[in-house]
Amino acid sequence: MLITTSRKIVQVISATLTNSYIGSLFTGTIYQGPLKGFCVPALNCYACPLAVSACPIGSIQHFVAHGAYHITLYAVGIITLVGAAVGRMACGWVCPFGLLQDLLFKVPSRKLTLPRAFSYGKYLALVLLVFIIPLIYKQTWFCKLCPAGGIEGGLPMLALDPTLRDLIGTMFTVKMLTVILFIVSAILVKRAFCRTACPLGALFSFFNRVSLFRISVDQDACIECDKCRQACPTDIKIYENPDDADCIRCLECKPACPVNAISYGLRNAALTQQKETFENA
Amino acid sequence: MRRKIPYILLAISILLILAGIWLGELPRIIKNATTLCLDCIGIG
């Protein structure tokens, strides 16, 4: 209960801090200050009138399409820094779009389980829409399709600036279709976008296996009751692989475990504990 | 060796951030993020 409450509080604070430019409500323009130089480790559209930071995926695409050496060391460095420290934890604790999905899943409806193969979709989105297509066509194609941009940027900006409404065309219709698809899938499936389409989640997922912070499961104590899976926002069986690429390190599984088989901490401490358990057995 | 990997990655990440700043990426990130992204709002 403590972890669930703490996580919700951190998610709300993070969403508020990264979207705190209320001046846009009066001026109708986006934030122009120096804080936009910081790439927040979350999918938060910089076209959102409230946003005070840059989107790392938007920045990466911009450099791939128009940069002198087609990569931004700065944004990749921030993602590597966060990933190496805590793996995908930013997805579970910081990302406002993740919070939105957690809230949408609370809408009463029939719930569906996502086949595991769909998880590879995010890597496809990363490679094709963030790197290859922007490199070839010099356009930021993930941004064109991103539902976060539609919800956080598109709809509010069109509401604030009537002149933009004259520019609406086919791409806006496509964008709204991705928004509808996102909302419906988030209601039916746990964190559907994070698991199937988020390129930032795909980048962070590479670090779960090597991050300083890690989760471990005492396999001898685990009774595979699946209580952890029921509590998990991404519907994974943590006891099968504590370093699962879809694990967003939300830690909801720990209080859900009836036999206290799940622990977390820094890599060295967790490895030492595992070693001691093995030696005592 | 496995224990050292996160620390090596953390060191690399700091070097990447500093290299990016040294190569002048920061003003470009700010310029890109402060210009309304038409692709993002669906009219690009």
Side-chain angles (χ1 to χ4, degrees):
Chain A
M1 194 66 190
L2 182 65
I3 284 175
T4 307
T5 311
S6 306
R7 192 167 78 91
K8 284 287 167 280
I9 291 169
V10 173
Q11 281 180 304
V12 170
I13 290 172
S14 166
T16 309
L17 285 178
T18 50
N19 296 286
S20 54
Y21 180 59
I22 52 170
S24 64
L25 301 176
F26 308 104
T27 61
T29 57
I30 59 172
Y31 172 69
Q32 303 284 317
L35 289 176
K36 276 261 171 102
F38 176 65
C39 290
V40 65
L43 203 67
N44 193 59
C45 185
Y46 45 34
C48 173
L50 297 173
V52 294
S53 55
C55 169
I57 292 299
S59 302
I60 289 174
Q61 280 177 92
H62 175 76
F63 274 77
V64 168
H66 308 294
Y69 40 90
H70 302 294
I71 191 76
T72 158
L73 303 179
Y74 174 74
V76 170
I78 288 178
I79 291 170
T80 307
L81 181 72
V82 175
V86 292
R88 253 189 109 166
M89 190 177 254
C91 304
W93 290 74
V94 177
C95 185
F97 213 52
L99 171 64
L100 180 61
Q101 287 172 83
D102 288 346
L103 295 174
L104 284 170
F105 191 71
K106 291 185 188 298
V107 174
S109 76
R110 187 182 165 203
K111 303 299 177 188
L112 303 176
T113 305
L114 199 68
R116 188 70 183 167
F118 281 73
S119 289
Y120 295 105
K122 59 182 174 290
Y123 300 109
L124 207 61
L126 175 68
V127 173
L128 286 180
L129 297 175
V130 177
F131 288 107
I132 294 179
I133 294 176
L135 185 65
I136 295 171
Y137 296 103
K138 309 295 179 199
Q139 289 184 325
T140 54
W141 265 91
F142 183 78
C143 289
K144 285 179 186 288
L145 301 173
C146 179
I151 294 171
E152 297 172 3
L155 295 173
M157 281 311 297
L158 290 174
L160 287 170
D161 188 349
T163 59
L164 291 173
R165 291 174 208 160
D166 300 332
L167 303 171
I168 288 176
T170 312
M171 276 316 295
F172 188 77
T173 311
V174 173
K175 187 93 168 172
M176 287 304 110
L177 286 175
T178 66
V179 169
I180 293 167
L181 181 65
F182 161 78
I183 292 172
V184 172
S185 63
I187 291 171
L188 298 175
V189 181
K190 285 179 171 180
R191 290 250 185 166
F193 180 79
C194 298
R195 293 158 66 194
T196 63
C198 182
L200 187 59
L203 281 173
F204 278 137
S205 74
F206 296 125
F207 294 98
N208 267 2
R209 290 168 60 88
V210 293
S211 64
L212 195 58
F213 180 89
R214 65 170 300 176
I215 292 177
S216 53
V217 178
D218 183 346
Q219 298 294 347
D220 295 329
C222 178
I223 54 173
E224 299 188 7
C225 63
D226 264 356
K227 291 269 170 59
C228 52
R229 186 182 183 180
Q230 288 164 22
C232 177
T234 56
D235 206 27
I236 60 168
K237 295 177 180 176
I238 194 76
Y239 55 84
E240 285 185 351
N241 180 11
D243 296 328
D244 194 296
D246 278 342
C247 176
I248 55 172
R249 302 301 196 225
C250 67
L251 312 178
E252 302 272 2
C253 52
K254 181 165 170 55
C257 180
V259 292
N260 203 22
I262 300 167
S263 57
Y264 56 84
L266 297 183
R267 175 164 285 269
N268 287 358
L271 284 174
T272 309
Q273 193 182 6
Q274 269 187 350
K275 194 179 171 188
E276 283 170 0
T277 309
F278 178 75
E279 284 171 354
N280 292 337
Chain B
M1 181 62 194
R2 201 177 157 198
R3 290 182 184 188
K4 290 180 183 168
I5 291 174
Y7 298 105
I8 293 168
L9 284 172
L10 286 171
I12 290 172
S13 69
I14 291 166
L15 289 176
L16 284 172
I17 293 169
L18 293 175
I21 293 169
W22 185 68
L23 289 167
E25 289 180 6
L26 203 50
R28 195 157 174 183
I29 295 251
I30 294 174
K31 190 183 174 193
N32 182 48
T34 53
T35 307
L36 182 61
C37 170
L38 296 181
D39 285 342
C40 300
I41 62 173
I43 56 177

